[in-house]
Structures are given as structure tokens and as C-alpha cells.
Amino acid sequence: MREIDQKLIVICGATASGKSALALEIAQKLDTLIISADSRQVYRDFDIGTAKPSPLEQKLVPHYLIDICHPQEVLTVAQYQGYAQDIIEKSRSIPLMVGGTGLYIKSVTKGLKIPPVAPQAKLRSQLETYSQQERYAFLQKIDPISCEKIHPNDDTRTIRALEVYYVTGKTISAQQGENPPSYPILHLGLHCEREFLRQRIATRTKKMLEMGLVEETEFLISKYDIDLPLLNTLGYAEIKQYLQGEISLSEAQDLIITHTCQFAKRQQTWFNGYPEIVWLDVSSSQLVPNAWEKIYQFIHKKY
């Protein structure tokens, strides 16, 4: 890697905050590429409900890590990290990493050491036959260090820690850590007041429905089966309820807005934990000039 001149710009924030639009404009100014950091945009056919960049937008600026997986596959964080690191290393410009999946971004910017263990369906099924109290007791015996970070009620992380141990024979705590890249990184975060964001989410939800979110969901059900896990994610799950006659389309729309707002709040909480992020006000008429000023200073700073 060209450690001296390599740099990375991250544009992050809650869903519907305008990350993609800002990134598209900045990328054209810089004549660079965009690396998507969205855990659902990696899957083919899931377009409208994931707010995937349009074909025209993808022609204007090269986008990477979009449509790279079959919907029945599972892309691990370790795989995403490897793909993204390879793109950054080979880039002849300053790439933009853009998205709201905090763990994807952190895996690259912090250089997370991730145990190379894909989800083990059979093992997880076996672990799920035990209560969370029993699983946590198992973990306390084999990996007390992890238990200092994992809450007794956190079944997801408990199962993951046990899964890693049983597959590799080593505790997850012994395999974790950070190895941050040596190149400079500028973190730009998009922030807006809660009510303003809710309005943006409502507008985007309405637009998704007008673009054919219902029809897209019907197509995905017919192609991949109604029990596909991705169809239980934000936007698709509510439309699936509508298609099954459980709720009206209006109720589905309201639920999507509510659930998206809740998701956005969780995203904001995650990103608030990173002091390196420079926050920009989405509602400001000077958003693009403000972002460009930070980027210009970053590009020309001597490291």
C-alpha cells in the first residue's frame, strides 16, 4: 500500500440523512469512487427498499460493494473488510466510504481483527436449545474476558462468542483487537434534528412506494421464497405484512416510517461514540461548501 499518499474519506450518519447525495457530488469533484458501507446494498435484487444508488448514479460515479452477493448468501464483516481494504489499496484517488452500517466502517477504519468464522446454522440451532442463562454460563467458563464486555442478556453476542470458540478452539477475546491503517482518514457525519429527519424518512418512504416497493417485494417473494431472511428487514417486512393481508398499505407505510426512525436513532447513537467524526448540519444551505472545505483542508494537509 502507498502509505505516504493514501487517504480515505468516510461519509456516515443515519439513514435518509443525505449521505448518498452528498457523496455523489463530492466524488464527482474529486474524480473518485464510492465504496458502499451498507449491509443490505451488497445483495442483488434488493434495490428500492435499500435506497440503492440508481443505474444513472452508478454511471456518474463508480460504486463498489453493491450487488456483490446472492440474497441467500451471508456476507460476513470480515469479508466486507477484505473487499474494502483491497479497493482502497488499489485506488489511484482518495475513495469515499459511504453508508450507515457502523460495523462495516469500523472494520476498515479501526482495522478490526475479526475471527474468520462464518455463521454456523447447525451449531447455532444447537446453542438455541439452551436458555440464555445456560449459554452465558458456558461462556463464563471458557471465556471470562468476553463476559466482561457481553451483558448476560445479550444472546446474539453470547452465541457468536460460543460459535467462534467451538469452531476455532480459541476464544473470541483472544482473536479480537484492532490494527488501524496508517493512512489518514477524514470522518464526516451528517446530522439533523430528529423531526427534520423524520420528515425526510417520511418523504423517502412515500417515494419508495411510488417507485414500486410493493411490486419489488412481490417479485422477491416469488423469486426467493417468503421466508428469505432479507425479506424480514426494514421496509420489506412491513410490505410483506401488507401482502399477507395483515395490515393495510397505509398502515405499512406508517410502520416503515416508525421503524426507520427507530433504526436511525440507533445508528446515531453508534456514531455518537466516535469523537473523530466531524459533524455537518444536513439542514444547512451550506452543507456542500462546508463539506468541501473540510475535505480540501484534509487533502492538502501534510502528514
Side-chain angles (χ1 to χ4, degrees), residues 23-167:
L24 198 66
E25 190 155 354
I26 296 299
Q28 291 178 87
K29 282 178 175 285
L30 292 177
D31 190 22
T32 190
L33 57 90
I34 290 174
I35 301 172
S36 172
D38 187 295
S39 62
R40 295 195 302 169
Q41 290 184 1
V42 299
Y43 295 103
R44 293 187 285 273
D45 292 331
F46 282 73
D47 302 330
I48 298 172
T50 65
K52 192 175 292 179
S54 68
L56 175 59
E57 290 169 333
Q58 294 188 49
K59 283 185 178 180
L60 288 173
V61 173
H63 284 67
Y64 290 81
L65 302 189
I66 288 177
D67 292 337
I68 62 171
C69 287
H70 188 280
Q72 292 172 323
E73 298 175 344
V74 175
L75 182 75
T76 67
V77 176
Q79 288 174 314
Y80 174 86
Q81 180 190 54
Y83 293 148
Q85 288 173 334
D86 187 57
I87 294 166
I88 294 168
E89 182 176 341
K90 294 177 179 177
S91 176
R92 296 184 177 275
S93 57
I94 302 177
L96 305 184
M97 176 169 283
V98 183
T101 302
L103 191 55
Y104 275 10
I105 295 171
K106 185 179 179 180
S107 74
V108 175
T109 61
K110 298 295 185 181
L112 295 183
K113 296 178 181 178
I114 306 168
V117 178
Q120 308 290 309
K122 290 184 179 179
L123 177 56
R124 290 189 175 195
S125 295
Q126 292 175 342
L127 290 172
E128 286 170 357
T129 62
Y130 295 92
S131 68
Q132 170 57 16
Q133 184 178 5
E134 290 172 317
R135 288 192 295 260
Y136 196 76
F138 297 156
L139 188 60
Q140 285 178 314
K141 292 180 180 180
I142 62 175
D143 191 3
I145 295 176
S146 287
C147 288
E148 294 176 4
K149 301 178 181 179
I150 300 176
H151 191 277
N153 295 334
D154 191 338
D155 58 336
T156 300
R157 294 179 67 195
T158 300
I159 289 175
R160 176 59 178 168
L162 289 170
E163 177 180 56
V164 169
Y165 175 76
Y166 289 130
V167 171

Side-chain angles (χ1 to χ4, degrees), residues 14-18 191-206 250-265 268 282-283:
T15 186
S17 59
H191 173 74
C192 55
E193 295 301 321
R194 185 173 300 178
E195 187 54 39
F196 184 74
L197 182 60
R198 183 178 180 85
Q199 292 173 6
R200 291 179 64 95
I201 289 171
T203 299
R204 191 178 73 171
T205 301
K206 181 181 178 182
S250 176
E251 289 173 322
Q253 182 173 345
D254 289 342
L255 279 176
I256 292 173
I257 294 169
T258 298
H259 293 161
T260 305
C261 287
Q262 293 168 345
F263 176 59
K265 184 178 179 180
Q268 192 62 50
V282 174
S283 63

Side-chain angles (χ1 to χ4, degrees), residues 273-301:
Y274 295 88
E276 62 267 35
I277 296 177
V278 178
W279 291 101
L280 301 172
D281 183 2
V282 174
S283 63
S284 171
S285 61
Q286 298 300 304
L287 172 62
V288 174
N290 290 341
W292 183 247
E293 179 185 1
K294 301 296 183 184
I295 291 170
Y296 184 86
Q297 293 172 353
F298 171 71
I299 292 173
H300 293 90
K301 181 178 178 180

Side-chain angles (χ1 to χ4, degrees), residues 220-239:
L220 292 168
I221 290 173
S222 65
K223 185 173 183 178
Y224 298 110
D225 189 65
I226 198 167
D227 294 323
L228 182 74
L230 278 170
L231 285 168
N232 294 325
T233 63
L234 191 59
Y236 297 105
E238 294 84 359
I239 296 302

